[in-house]
Amino acid sequence: MVQAHHAGVWTGAPQGGAGDNNLLNSEAIHQMLDASITELTGLNDAAEAWAALFAPDERIAIKVNAIQGSVFWTHVPLVMAVTECLQEAGVPAEQIIIFDREPFELENAGYTINQDGPGVRCYGTESYTGGWSIMDTNVRLSDILLSCHALINMPILKRHPEAGITFAMKNHYGTFDRPRSFHGPGIGPGISELNALAPIRDRTRLVIGDALTICPVAWVQGVIGDSILVSFDPVAHDTVGLETLCEHIDSEGGNAAAATDISNTWLIPAAELGVGANNPDDMDLVEINL
């Protein structure tokens, strides 16, 4: 797992909203991705590293967080830089699909909808397919996910009042049809069991967490970050993300211990279900400063 920092990734102070996308340094983002993917794979060339993970004949789904009610979302320049890396590795643009729940949410976050035109595709989930269950409740998964060979999970780091943290694993509440049914007391097992479902667990090829803006208090209040977190393991990814978030919660005078306690209600069960590792002794984190 790699956390890459870049002191020059912002050209101005983000205020929230899609306009923040214009303040990101695309060259710095590419440097962060190149450094992360080569370190993660052990390969010296970034294009070779991406090609080792994704084949030209595969359809790649990219799950972003563009949820309504927030003013901070997975930043468009970061996501588009990932699509460029995939294309440089030989994946045709038309086989890359950026998605979330609703098209209006994606547009509000600054994404351009492209259902079937040339270039990278981007659209909301229109249909779901059943056959799975969470907490003995039938659920349906996004047909965008099910139609793809591999998934890149690209969340943004935020505090969540019921989950403690929303990052990689909670991001999949935008991948199935009944997210509202798994809040409250059921949110812990809901998150862990959802991520243990085979179509999500087996398709997840890479997690790229956006910590360029961090929300330690609420989704409409953000602080400037300077890093991305890249991992193969969503549980380890969120365990490290929780540590990063808690540092900012403390700095804002909040209760980081409460966020940790709540997050452990799904991080620990997810590890027990085989989704990933949450024990620091089983995680290898490399930090890169650019």
Side-chain angles (χ1 to χ4, degrees):
M1 179 167 38
V2 181
Q3 188 165 19
H5 304 261
H6 199 302
V9 71
W10 287 104
T11 63
Q15 301 297 316
D20 285 355
N21 292 315
N22 299 323
L23 300 175
L24 283 165
N25 181 336
S26 60
E27 182 179 350
I29 288 174
H30 275 281
Q31 291 172 359
M32 296 166 81
L33 287 170
D34 287 352
S36 297
I37 205 70
T38 52
E39 178 67 36
L40 193 66
T41 60
L43 297 172
N44 293 326
D45 181 79
E48 289 181 9
W50 286 98
L53 298 177
F54 301 96
D57 61 347
E58 291 185 307
R59 283 169 54 87
I60 315 298
I62 300 178
K63 172 64 175 71
V64 300
N65 186 317
I67 191 168
Q68 184 183 22
S70 179
V71 296
F72 297 97
W73 309 280
T74 312
H75 293 94
V76 175
L78 174 60
V79 178
M80 298 314 297
V82 170
T83 69
E84 291 165 9
C85 291
L86 289 169
Q87 291 173 75
E88 290 169 3
V91 179
E94 291 75 16
Q95 291 173 201
I96 305 168
I97 304 97
I98 301 164
F99 81 102
D100 204 351
R101 303 183 307 172
E102 301 284 351
F104 76 86
E105 292 181 316
L106 287 162
E107 288 183 299
N108 189 51
Y111 294 90
T112 300
I113 300 300
N114 179 21
Q115 186 93 27
D116 53 15
V120 173
R121 306 294 167 81
C122 178
Y123 47 89
T125 297
E126 294 182 343
S127 60
Y128 298 84
T129 295
W132 295 274
S133 66
I134 302 171
M135 299 172 62
D136 298 321
T137 301
N138 292 331
V139 298
R140 299 180 300 156
L141 297 177
S142 168
D143 283 337
I144 297 174
L145 169 71
L146 296 176
S147 69
C148 288
H149 301 94
L151 170 74
I152 302 176
N153 189 357
M154 295 193 66
I156 185 169
L157 183 56
K158 303 176 183 178
R159 188 172 188 178
H160 191 281
E162 295 184 357
I165 177 179
T166 174
F167 210 19
M169 294 174 65
K170 178 66 168 57
N171 196 34
H172 280 304
Y173 267 45
T175 305
F176 76 123
D177 66 328
R178 301 187 62 180
R180 293 183 181 179
S181 299
F182 297 93
H183 282 80
I187 197 164
I191 295 173
S192 55
E193 291 187 26
L194 174 65
N195 281 268
L197 295 178
I200 292 177
R201 183 193 63 222
D202 296 346
R203 282 174 172 79
T204 299
R205 195 77 56 84
L206 195 61
V207 183
I208 303 176
D210 182 342
L212 299 172
T213 304
I214 299 168
C215 299
V217 180
W219 294 358
V220 294
Q221 295 175 262
V223 297
I224 297 176
D226 68 350
S227 72
I228 60 172
L229 186 62
V230 184
S231 178
F232 297 131
D233 180 338
V235 181
H237 176 276
D238 282 5
T239 301
V240 174
L242 176 61
E243 294 177 0
T244 299
L245 181 67
C246 283
E247 291 174 4
H248 288 279
I249 292 174
D250 283 335
S251 69
E252 295 290 315
N255 188 347
T260 298
D261 290 344
I262 298 171
S263 299
N264 281 334
T265 65
W266 47 270
L267 283 170
I268 294 172
E272 293 171 346
L273 289 170
V275 179
N278 75 314
N279 186 334
D281 293 337
D282 298 325
M283 296 184 292
D284 182 17
L285 173 63
V286 176
E287 294 211 44
I288 298 173
N289 292 288
L290 298 170

